[in-house]
Amino acid sequence: MTKAIKLLTALPQKQRERLMELAHEVSFPEDARIFEAGGTADRFWVIRSGAVHLDQQVTATRRVTVGSLGAGDLLGWSWLFPPYTWDFGAEAFSQVRAYEFDASAVLALCVEDPLLGLSLVRTVAEILAHRLELTRGKLLEQYTISRGRGL
């Protein structure tokens, strides 16, 4: 299994400092919807404190939590890939403090500094690979539980 990667600690110091020049601090109260699946992905966050649940709408009235994020975790990656829309929804499970980044400004910085762009894309890819492994494990666990009940 891949290991959990934290975006800001994974980037080399010089690149991290350049990226952080674009950050501004935000906060979300407990139970705040941060974004909805299908919405425009024009920013991302690195969580400083608190917890965020990622969810998927499965019926008109039911959401299922598909992941949980905490301090140091990247929240949002859809800004990096067309069609630039959120694949999941996100909700603050507790009071959340985070660094927020405007996607267009970060993408412009990546064009200006291709080494930063490459490092950022590689790091996000590692984060996604780890999350995919976790999701696969959860799906297998749910499948095993369902089969055990004869469903």
Side-chain angles (χ1 to χ4, degrees), residues 8 20 24-26 46-50 70-73 96-99:
L8 295 179
M20 288 304 294
H24 70 275
E25 294 184 29
V26 297
V46 174
I47 300 169
R48 296 180 59 217
S49 64
D73 286 332
V96 172
R97 293 176 49 217
Y99 293 117

Side-chain angles (χ1 to χ4, degrees), residues 40-107:
T40 302
D42 59 357
R43 65 198 66 239
F44 66 95
W45 302 264
V46 174
I47 300 169
R48 296 180 59 217
S49 64
V52 173
H53 286 181
L54 301 175
D55 56 47
Q56 185 70 55
Q57 192 84 34
V58 292
T59 68
T61 59
R62 185 167 180 248
R63 297 179 201 267
V64 173
T65 298
V66 296
S68 297
L69 304 175
D73 286 332
L74 170 68
L75 172 59
W77 51 264
S78 298
W79 61 275
L80 195 52
F81 306 102
Y84 309 107
T85 57
W86 300 118
D87 288 315
F88 303 102
E91 184 171 314
F93 184 68
S94 64
Q95 172 77 25
V96 172
R97 293 176 49 217
Y99 293 117
E100 182 176 87
F101 298 86
D102 176 85
S104 60
V106 171
L107 291 170

Side-chain angles (χ1 to χ4, degrees), residues 132-147:
L132 180 60
E133 285 185 48
L134 291 176
T135 301
R136 184 179 69 179
K138 286 180 184 180
L139 288 172
L140 287 171
E141 180 181 305
Q142 288 300 312
Y143 176 75
T144 302
I145 291 169
S146 295
R147 286 199 45 125

